[in-house]
Amino acid sequence: MSPERIRVGIVGCGDVAHRHYLPALAGLADDVVVAACVDPDLEAARRAADAVASWSPDARLGDDLAVMLSSGVVDVVIDLAPAPRHGEINARVLDAGLALYTEKPLASDLRTADALIAAARRSGQLFLSAPGVAVTRRVRWLSEVVRSGRYGPATLVVAQHADPGPAAWREYTGDPRPFYAPGVGPVFDHGVYRLHTMTALLGPVATVQAMGAISQPTRLVRGGPLTGSTIEVTTPDHVLINLAFANGGLGQLLASFGTPSTRAPWLEVHCTEATISCSGQSYELDAPIDLYVDDDSPAATEGWQLDVDAPRDEEGVVEAGVRHLVECLRGRAVPVLTAEHARHVLDITLRAYDSIADGATHPTSTTF
């Protein structure tokens, strides 16, 4: 990679670009410059280019991905397009010989994911995928604790993400309808963060079993361009997933867009001698981590230790992922947010929906 600033192309200039990615890139302006903004809605591309004009004044804008890919003005593409388009867009980027960071999921099916990974290997280009949970300070610390075995092996991990979904988010500026339709839903949108965390801690999953239901068939939109309208829910908004890890551990995930709220821990890791409980909201940088030590020694110290001295994150998950991308491109970090890990999480998610459909337990076919 050139010692000059890394030239970034943004594909998809909607809500997530403005709320997270463009500010994250601005914070890394010593290393990066936005060279192009592409969106089928040319006005959306224009708004993105305007948003970075103070530090990337020469950003090109357009509505044609092919033009950007052939322009020679970008080194890496960040794919923020709607999830169903990721596979096709990512294939075009990798075929153009460019480095790639994609929002989740990297594709909609495993065959496409396999082809993307093969294309990146042929070109020798970096191919990373969101979410960035595995490179946050908190999850790195949890991973170190689990790997160290200081509390015995981790045997069970329980996670959840439960809220009403983007139709209820008054600050959301996009169209929430795809989030309640097949191909997205609470697992692809939010549960994926938990699945990345769970597999970062316990490794690959061997088998998947799941149940799902539509708890509310319609939703009133509270924010954005469709405020006040009613939308249909056509994919399960409650999903419960049971996981059997290849190392013998078990896992359970609740992913829901059908709950008003929750105060349950977003993650609990159960080792043979301790429980690590993450409360608050996962996006809160100062959310506490509590530890229960089960000590049967004569000088027993068992009991809850609240808000233990664990590393606090200084940036959000998206921002951590963008920083990791830049560090990898600069050769200052070893890739952690690999496409292979993202493919495995996609495999788990697809097997969960297979299980919802037929009631059977399904094996995965990938690892990382």
Side-chain angles (χ1 to χ4, degrees):
M1 185 63 64
S2 167
E4 301 296 327
R5 289 200 291 173
I6 298 164
R7 301 172 301 171
V8 179
I10 303 294
V11 179
C13 301
D15 181 82
V16 71
H18 286 274
R19 279 194 297 131
H20 292 293
Y21 278 89
L22 298 182
L25 290 166
L28 300 168
D30 287 345
D31 272 310
V32 302
V33 60
V34 174
C37 301
V38 174
D39 194 286
D41 178 355
L42 191 58
E43 186 54 36
R46 190 181 311 279
R47 288 193 296 270
D50 289 344
V52 301
S54 64
W55 59 279
S56 294
D58 299 321
R60 300 186 184 186
L61 60 94
D63 56 6
D64 190 334
L65 176 61
V67 172
M68 184 189 77
L69 295 179
S70 63
S71 66
V73 302
V74 300
D75 302 307
V76 59
V77 171
I78 298 179
D79 181 4
L80 307 179
R85 296 189 60 210
H86 287 175
E88 174 257 330
I89 289 172
N90 292 340
R92 294 175 65 185
V93 172
L94 292 169
D95 286 345
L98 295 171
L100 172 64
Y101 186 88
T102 180
E103 254 299 336
K104 39 76 180 173
L106 75 169
S108 298
D109 61 85
L110 290 184
R111 178 174 294 184
T112 302
D114 289 342
L116 295 175
I117 291 170
R121 289 173 179 166
R122 286 193 303 270
S123 69
Q125 287 287 3
L126 183 70
F127 177 22
L128 300 182
S129 177
V133 289
V135 296
T136 62
R137 290 184 175 183
R138 182 162 39 190
V139 174
R140 285 185 187 271
W141 178 82
L142 287 168
S143 297
E144 191 279 325
V145 170
V146 170
R147 286 196 306 271
S148 73
R150 72 187 65 165
Y151 300 119
T155 62
L156 175 68
V157 58
V158 178
Q160 68 152 354
H161 189 115
D163 65 25
W169 303 343
R170 289 180 171 85
E171 73 278 11
Y172 187 65
T173 61
D175 180 353
R177 288 174 295 185
F179 293 90
Y180 301 88
V184 187
V187 184
F188 277 109
D189 187 55
H190 276 335
V192 65
Y193 291 87
R194 304 294 184 260
L195 289 173
H196 270 267
T197 302
M198 297 163 84
T199 49
L201 298 179
L202 268 69
V205 168
T207 57
V208 181
Q209 181 187 69
M211 299 177 69
I214 296 176
S215 69
Q216 301 176 51
T218 61
R219 296 297 172 86
L220 179 67
V221 180
R222 297 178 182 173
L226 299 181
T227 297
S229 64
T230 299
I231 62 174
E232 302 295 319
V233 178
T234 55
T235 196
D237 57 1
H238 287 327
V239 178
L240 292 165
I241 304 175
N242 292 323
L243 307 170
F245 290 88
N247 68 0
L250 296 178
Q252 188 176 65
L253 169 67
L254 164 64
S256 177
F257 278 162
T259 59
S261 189
T262 178
R263 296 186 68 182
W266 61 269
L267 180 74
E268 286 196 327
V269 183
H270 300 277
C271 303
T272 55
E273 299 170 15
T275 290
I276 306 167
S277 183
C278 302
S279 56
Q281 299 293 334
S282 62
Y283 56 79
E284 294 173 336
L285 302 183
D286 59 350
I289 296 179
D290 303 328
L291 174 69
Y292 184 95
V293 178
D294 184 16
D295 186 352
D296 58 6
S297 68
T301 59
E302 64 188 15
W304 281 106
Q305 302 171 35
L306 303 182
D307 200 5
V308 298
D309 185 18
R312 292 291 199 260
D313 283 299
E314 296 179 348
E315 57 190 355
V317 169
V318 170
E319 293 77 8
V322 173
R323 183 177 298 277
H324 182 64
L325 168 67
V326 173
E327 292 294 299
C328 289
L329 288 169
R330 285 298 192 207
R332 300 192 293 247
V334 175
V336 172
L337 307 179
T338 64
E340 288 82 2
H341 191 177
R343 175 182 59 184
H344 185 64
V345 171
L346 174 64
D347 189 3
I348 295 167
T349 303
L350 294 173
R351 300 295 76 77
Y353 282 100
D354 288 344
S355 182
I356 291 171
D358 64 15
T361 298
H362 287 264
T364 62
S365 60
T366 63
T367 188
F368 67 98

